[in-house]
Amino acid sequence: GKAQPEANTGDIQALSADEIRVYTDGRTMRFGRAAEKNHNPAPYFLLKYKSELALFDEQLIPAKAILDRERAQASKLGKELIADQAKLETRLNDPKGSRDDEVAALVREIARIQGEIRLVHLQADVAAKKLLNSDQQVQYDSIRSYDPEEDGRDAMSGDGVCATRP
């Protein structure tokens, strides 16, 4: 078939501007919730609570590296997802109609990328857990279980610095 023009993210109806920013920036959007609910700390929160957890430099440096890698990988995938979503919406908005096979392929690819993004965030949390000793793990669970500012917040609300994982 003929080449499709590059999709404009401003034309995406199914994603809000905040959601697009979260995907582009590689934020978590609660993709790590299963890991954190099972005592695997988000690297962002290890850094946020470094004083309360009494983290050593030997823990801070790898925690920052895990977070940077998580954000970079998730951002790259998020940009792919946004581009595919834009292509999908262009096809769905075609006045001549859209081919079912093209729509199906794009929907499946978007779902695959979402799974890859989720995996990136889960793997970061599992890697971060290995940095904590048992006392720090107990302290972390206590902080994350009872922080009213964090608990229940949605990925796109608050300070916009990081999606939370209540």
Side-chain angles (χ1 to χ4, degrees):
K2 69 179 182 182
Q4 293 291 327
E6 194 62 34
N8 178 356
T9 59
D11 297 334
I12 297 176
Q13 303 297 313
L15 297 174
S16 71
D18 281 341
E19 287 171 312
I20 289 171
R21 195 166 33 257
V22 167
Y23 276 121
T24 303
D25 292 349
R27 307 298 177 176
T28 65
M29 220 161 42
R30 300 171 77 141
F31 283 121
R33 187 180 201 182
E36 194 169 64
K37 284 293 188 182
N38 288 285
H39 312 285
N40 294 274
Y44 168 82
F45 289 120
L46 286 191
L47 297 169
K48 178 175 180 173
Y49 299 119
K50 63 187 175 194
S51 298
E52 294 90 333
L53 297 170
L55 294 184
F56 304 100
D57 286 344
E58 296 79 17
Q59 294 169 302
L60 290 171
I61 293 165
K64 177 86 171 84
I66 292 166
L67 178 62
D68 290 346
R69 186 172 59 244
E70 173 187 23
R71 293 248 172 102
Q73 291 173 337
S75 173
K76 180 178 179 290
L77 289 163
K79 290 171 185 169
E80 290 175 25
L81 183 144
I82 290 165
D84 283 348
Q85 182 65 36
K87 287 181 204 164
L88 173 64
E89 293 192 24
T90 298
R91 283 175 177 68
L92 292 172
N93 195 29
D94 189 333
K96 294 177 288 206
S98 55
R99 292 189 22 212
D100 289 346
D101 60 332
E102 288 180 353
V103 169
L106 280 166
V107 169
R108 288 186 178 105
E109 179 60 8
I110 290 166
R112 185 195 68 76
I113 295 170
Q114 283 176 320
E116 290 296 319
I117 292 170
R118 183 176 188 206
L119 182 59
V120 164
H121 294 303
L122 293 173
Q123 287 174 329
D125 292 0
V126 169
K129 179 177 185 158
K130 294 174 183 167
L131 300 176
L132 297 181
N133 64 38
S134 57
D135 291 341
Q136 290 168 327
Q137 180 70 55
V138 169
Q139 178 69 4
Y140 180 84
D141 288 343
S142 172
I143 291 167
R144 289 296 292 142
S145 296
Y146 301 107
D147 185 341
E149 285 185 25
E150 300 295 354
D151 199 37
R153 274 201 1 214
D154 183 81
M156 273 68 74
S157 67
D159 59 13
V161 171
C162 180
T164 60
R165 302 174 194 178

